[in-house]
Amino acid sequence: IDKSLLENFGFSLMVSYGNEAGLSLNDFLKIASDDKNTKVIAIYLEEIKNGQEFIKIASEIIKQKPIIVLKGGKTEDGKKAVQSHTASLAGNEKIYSAAFKKAGVVEVETIEDLFLASQILSTYSAPSAVNAGWAILTNGGAVGVITADWCSKFSVKIADIPKVVFEKIEQSGKVNPSFSRNNPLDIIGDASSEGYGVALRALLGQEKIGGVIFCQTLQTMTNPEENAKIIMEAQNQFKNKPILALFLGGKITQKGSELLKKNNCIVFGEPRDVALVASILNN
């Protein structure tokens, strides 16, 4: 709760159900499902006492709202800790992961990821285009490479960018002609906000591109606030195609990040996080 006050993160309902002496996780899932103020259900659990009922209930709930789970007690040491904590058996992690997958539940590995996934799934909808991939747009080659690596690790589909996108960028005259004609699309370090806008709209206008990871590194020409405005304008124009903002930096970048946050856009500071979110949205 304390962390949520910093992140402007709202809870409609919080339950600590202990060792389930009376009511079980499945009972509380039904309550959260019926709660109109709950957009996403986030769970930390160590054991599920009735697995079949959980899969049945969860499978129905996810048709209306996502469920995210952080499972404790995956290692031998963790299982011993669970026994002393709630006197329950943590069970085989592969069985649990298979059950979550069958039910359509999103499984995460850290508390930070539990927060992140909850925010994302309460803010963005999945890409609307079937079989569409992601485009990575960057003004720094290195961060584009790292982001592509993380996308691969999380099995995020990277789109083949059509030549028409590169032609539109060339014809605009707003981007350095030496930009990379690939995905990641690197419009290099002297990229202006106007150039970012041209490239971003060209990418979002393609049927086979379902969303864009917008990478910004701080260069001499970089204007974080104007870039934030470019993202917001494009998101309003292409409502069914998520734009994930990866803003690397600190003090100078902060104004752009805050502007996005004020307008219900989530800003990422790590390539790993933005790739994880892209995978969750395509789950």
Side-chain angles (χ1 to χ4, degrees), residues 3-283:
K3 180 177 174 60
S4 73
L5 299 177
L6 289 176
E7 302 290 336
N8 194 26
F9 187 93
F11 288 103
S12 58
L13 175 69
M14 291 198 73
V15 178
S16 178
Y17 57 88
N19 60 3
E20 300 179 296
L23 296 172
S24 71
L25 168 63
N26 293 333
D27 295 313
F28 291 113
L29 278 175
K30 293 173 185 175
I31 293 170
S33 175
D34 293 336
D35 180 28
K36 294 179 181 178
N37 293 318
T38 299
K39 295 180 180 178
V40 176
I41 301 171
I43 305 168
Y44 167 75
L45 62 82
E46 293 167 3
E47 178 194 31
I48 297 175
K49 291 184 177 178
N50 190 330
Q52 289 184 333
E53 185 185 7
F54 171 84
I55 291 173
K56 181 181 178 181
I57 293 170
S59 298
E60 287 300 313
I61 292 174
I62 65 157
K63 294 175 184 178
Q64 305 296 328
K65 56 187 74 175
I67 300 174
I68 308 153
V69 167
L70 171 59
K71 169 73 170 67
K74 288 187 172 185
T75 65
E76 289 305 313
D77 287 338
K79 289 176 184 177
K80 291 177 184 177
V82 166
Q83 285 182 293
S84 64
H85 180 210
T86 55
S88 61
L89 299 175
N92 186 294
E93 64 169 304
K94 292 182 179 178
I95 293 174
Y96 273 93
S97 292
F100 297 146
K101 189 173 183 179
K102 183 175 181 180
V105 169
V106 176
E107 185 179 11
V108 295
E109 300 294 326
T110 70
I111 295 171
E112 290 289 337
D113 289 349
L114 189 67
F115 267 85
L116 186 59
S118 300
Q119 283 182 296
I120 283 297
L121 291 173
S122 64
T123 304
Y124 296 97
S125 58
S128 57
V130 179
N131 296 321
W134 288 82
I136 300 171
L137 174 62
T138 182
N139 68 341
V143 71
V145 171
I146 296 169
T147 303
D149 280 341
W150 277 111
C151 283
S152 179
K153 289 177 183 178
F154 285 115
S155 301
V156 175
K157 182 181 178 182
I158 298 299
D160 291 324
I161 299 177
K163 289 183 179 179
V164 65
V165 170
F166 306 135
E167 290 170 358
K168 286 182 178 180
I169 294 172
E170 289 171 0
Q171 291 166 7
S172 73
K174 302 297 182 182
V175 175
N176 191 311
S178 61
F179 73 91
S180 73
R181 291 150 180 80
N182 210 327
N183 191 5
L185 171 54
D186 181 5
I187 55 175
I188 69 176
D190 65 354
S192 65
S193 297
E194 202 172 359
Y196 256 127
V198 169
L200 182 59
R201 289 189 295 273
L203 289 168
L204 292 169
Q206 302 305 305
E207 185 178 346
K208 292 186 178 180
I209 294 176
V212 174
I213 298 174
F214 186 108
C215 304
Q216 174 195 273
T217 61
L218 197 59
Q219 311 277 354
T220 304
M221 296 282 289
T222 309
N223 188 325
E225 286 182 272
E226 288 302 315
N227 288 345
K229 292 175 184 177
I230 291 293
I231 291 171
M232 292 186 295
E233 289 168 5
Q235 192 65 89
N236 285 331
Q237 184 179 353
F238 298 91
K239 296 183 185 299
N240 295 322
K241 295 192 175 185
I243 305 169
L244 306 180
L246 173 61
F247 276 25
L248 299 185
K251 186 176 181 180
I252 298 174
T253 307
Q254 189 174 8
K255 288 184 179 180
S257 298
E258 288 176 351
L259 181 59
L260 285 169
K261 290 175 182 178
K262 286 177 182 177
N263 288 274
N264 298 319
C265 295
I266 297 170
V267 186
F268 305 87
E270 280 288 340
R272 177 219 176 249
D273 292 346
V274 78
L276 170 66
V277 163
S279 71
I280 290 171
L281 287 174
N282 282 118
N283 188 35

